[in-house]
Amino acid sequence: MATEALEAIHEVARRHKMTYDEYRILKDWLISVGEDGEWPLFLDVWLEHVIEDINTSHRTGNKGTIEGPYYVPDAPEMGSHAKISMREDEKGESLRFQGQVRSTDGTPLGGAKVELWHADADGFYSQYAPGLPEWNLRGTFTADEEGRFQIDTLLPAPYQIPTDGACGKLIAAAGWHAWRPAHLHLKVGSQGHEQLTAQLYFPGDPHNEDDIASAVKPELVLDPKTVDGIDGKVVDYDFVLDPLS
Ligand code: MBD
Ligand code: FE
């Protein structure tokens, strides 16, 4: 694979008759990706979606999508029906996210783990931005005996990937934009099943169609509702996991 990857780059260089000036700009930019700590961001935005596609196309349960650069394992365990950890004055509209985890044959997966993480209203992920509580807007929920969970969190805001580093320079130079649609990140796992990594999106977000990370699929767009007596929005979404083969 390494040989072919290098040959692909050689082929682009030859086709475009890359000059020494261009080569030096490329070299400096690649060095700056590392200096800015943006290799995880670069890879997850522009390559991970292909890897995800290759490795999950056999599944008959839920579609998933990329993990992205901001997952942290072992977030605090909260139970099956609980509020995610957030600051007293956390900004955003309430969202109750509830559903059931099942196997592809319909069996409820009691005890399944649902890990949820998302950005705050300003687009910051805890542990990747200063000044946030360690586990802000991150939690591990354990489905009840019927595989059900109910998580109280906030509607995520539209999100721009960091524009102040090397990836931002590439975006500006190429004339792209830095937006991702508002999203929730999830990992769902149960014994004897493939772990699902997913993101969930919201209808009407203008960036569902042109996500910079190419990670939106129609099956991952939620349908939040207003329910009498409940503040904010409520959304039902079930997860179907493929048994390990
Ligand atoms: C994110 O929040 C994200 O989910 C991805 C895939 C890339 C950059 C920032
Ligand atoms: Fe994200």
Side-chain angles (χ1 to χ4, degrees), residues 172-183:
W176 304 330
H177 66 75
W179 291 98
R180 299 213 60 225
H183 57 280

Side-chain angles (χ1 to χ4, degrees), residues 146-166:
E146 293 175 0
R148 294 189 189 279
F149 61 87
Q150 181 184 90
I151 303 170
D152 284 311
T153 187
L154 299 172
L155 276 170
Y159 179 86
Q160 227 180 350
I161 70 164
T163 52
D164 55 352

Side-chain angles (χ1 to χ4, degrees), residues 10-26:
H10 301 162
E11 147 63 18
V12 172
R14 285 189 196 285
R15 188 152 21 103
H16 292 267
K17 300 197 168 41
M18 186 185 286
T19 65
Y20 251 102
D21 276 351
E22 289 169 331
Y23 174 69
R24 287 194 196 94
I25 289 167
L26 172 65

Side-chain angles (χ1 to χ4, degrees), residues 104-243:
T104 47
D105 68 1
T107 315
L109 294 172
K113 295 284 177 198
V114 178
E115 294 173 82
L116 173 65
W117 72 103
H118 64 91
D120 69 12
D122 299 318
F124 296 120
Y125 285 86
S126 56
Q127 302 187 39
Y128 292 89
L132 293 171
E134 186 176 16
W135 297 103
N136 207 51
L137 301 175
R138 295 178 184 273
T140 302
F141 302 83
T142 303
D144 66 16
E145 319 78 65
E146 293 175 0
R148 294 189 189 279
F149 61 87
Q150 181 184 90
I151 303 170
D152 284 311
T153 187
L154 299 172
L155 276 170
Y159 179 86
Q160 227 180 350
I161 70 164
T163 52
D164 55 352
C167 291
K169 271 202 191 120
L170 172 63
I171 288 169
W176 304 330
H177 66 75
W179 291 98
R180 299 213 60 225
H183 57 280
L184 301 171
H185 288 272
L186 292 126
K187 280 185 185 282
V188 183
S190 183
Q191 243 185 18
H193 289 76
E194 293 189 35
Q195 189 183 47
L196 175 70
T197 299
Q199 298 183 33
L200 296 172
Y201 306 96
F202 296 85
D205 191 308
H207 297 294
N208 285 342
E209 273 74 51
D210 68 353
D211 178 15
I212 185 68
S214 311
V216 181
K217 304 177 188 183
E219 299 87 343
L220 301 175
V221 180
L222 295 168
D223 184 17
K225 298 204 154 70
T226 308
V227 175
D228 278 352
I230 300 176
D231 188 40
K233 294 274 173 10
V234 177
V235 74
D236 281 80
Y237 193 86
D238 294 348
F239 295 101
V240 177
L241 303 186
D242 282 69

